[in-house]
Each structure stands twice: as C-alpha cells, then as structure tokens.
Amino acid sequence: DRLKDAEELAGLAGLRDVKLMLPHDVVIADAVSETANVRVVKAHEVPESTKEEQWRIFDIGPETAEAYGEAIRQARTVVWNGPMGVFEMAPFAEGTRRVAQAVCDATRGNGATSIVGGGDSVAAVEQMGLADCITHISTGGGASLEFLEGQTLPGVAALRDRE
C-alpha cells in the first residue's frame, strides 16, 4: 500500500544520485508471536491477507540483511533510526541484529561515525550488547532526524536564549 511513496523516493534518489536500498526479501508471519507461522519470501511476493490468514511483514529477510550490512560496513557515517523488525521476539530479531552488528563493524573496523536514534533502536543495540561500539546514541529519534535536517529544536533554542 506504500508503493507510490517508494516510487517517489526512488525518483528523488535518482535525481540526487543517491542509492536507495529497498528490501529484497522479508520475514512474514501470521501473528506477532514467538510461536507464529513464519516464512521468508521475496518482497514482491508477500501474499495478500485473507480473513483466515493475516500474513504481515515483521522483519527484513537474510538477503536484505546481507546487502544492508555490506553497504553499512563501507560507510564512513551511519545514521540509524528504527529497528528492521520486531526485534523483541526471536523470530523477527535477525534483521535488526545483523544491521546493528554491521554498524558496529563500520565504527570499529572502518572508523565510521555512527549515530543511533530512537528509543527502539537504542533498546535493540543495548539488548544485543552492541551499544558500546556506537559513536552516539540518542533516544530522541524524530528529534535527532530533525536536528540533522537543520531544524531548530525547541529545547536547543531555549538553551540559546539563556546565553
């Protein structure tokens, strides 16, 4: 249902000579549960849900995690906001774990500056024991992105007003 948005983003990326990476494969399940029926399918082959089966996407698949990891490991700056899936449950945690590990690899092995923003992303890297290899962690996910966009944050503006 977000195909039009993806096409628009792809067009903008092409105009700016930016590589836009979308999932090749995804992990789908019939419930958000440790015991759900889980399958890995190509992203374009996600089955339509029926009343009997409510298949939904809960993580990126292994091919996508590998591709994202390769790109991240080559980066000099990584800004990550949002886990790849429902990392709190084992059947849907692998994509987030592999991306978190790639961010650490880029930081430690490539000297990248890594910024992880948002409460869920912070919880993921902490749960996975990888928080110590991130350059900067912020629980303010949306605020972090707004700051990087150059927007004035109310809290920062208030501090400047006191100078």
Side-chain angles (χ1 to χ4, degrees):
D1 66 339
R2 302 299 301 261
L3 185 57
K4 187 173 178 99
D5 293 333
E7 289 170 346
E8 183 178 329
L9 287 172
L12 289 171
L15 289 174
R16 296 186 177 156
D17 197 28
V18 173
K19 184 176 182 180
L20 175 65
M21 297 178 70
L22 297 173
H24 303 289
D25 59 339
V26 293
V27 176
I28 63 172
D30 60 357
V32 183
S33 165
E34 295 277 354
T35 60
N37 293 312
V38 177
R39 296 186 349 214
V40 175
V41 298
K42 298 293 182 193
H44 64 278
E45 295 176 353
V46 175
E48 280 192 44
S49 294
T50 65
K51 287 185 179 182
E52 297 81 39
E53 291 186 318
Q54 295 295 313
W55 291 98
R56 292 172 288 176
I57 300 171
F58 291 107
D59 197 7
I60 58 173
E63 289 177 23
T64 300
E66 180 67 25
Y68 288 4
E70 286 178 22
I72 291 166
R73 284 183 187 89
Q74 295 174 22
R76 299 288 296 149
T77 303
V78 178
V79 178
W80 179 22
N81 184 306
M84 300 295 104
V86 184
F87 70 92
E88 301 89 344
M89 295 186 182
F92 318 119
E94 189 63 13
T96 298
R97 186 196 64 73
R98 289 180 65 181
V99 165
Q101 185 61 59
V103 173
C104 284
D105 294 347
T107 305
R108 287 185 174 155
N110 196 22
T113 299
S114 55
I115 302 165
V116 174
D120 287 337
S121 301
V122 172
V125 295
E126 287 178 351
Q127 174 185 312
M128 296 170 185
L130 299 172
D132 65 328
C133 65
I134 305 297
T135 307
H136 180 75
I137 292 179
S138 171
T139 56
S144 294
L145 293 177
E146 289 172 3
F147 179 75
L148 291 171
E149 287 176 5
Q151 294 185 26
T152 301
L153 302 178
V156 174
L159 292 173
R160 288 188 182 139
D161 290 344
R162 299 184 82 194
E163 291 178 351

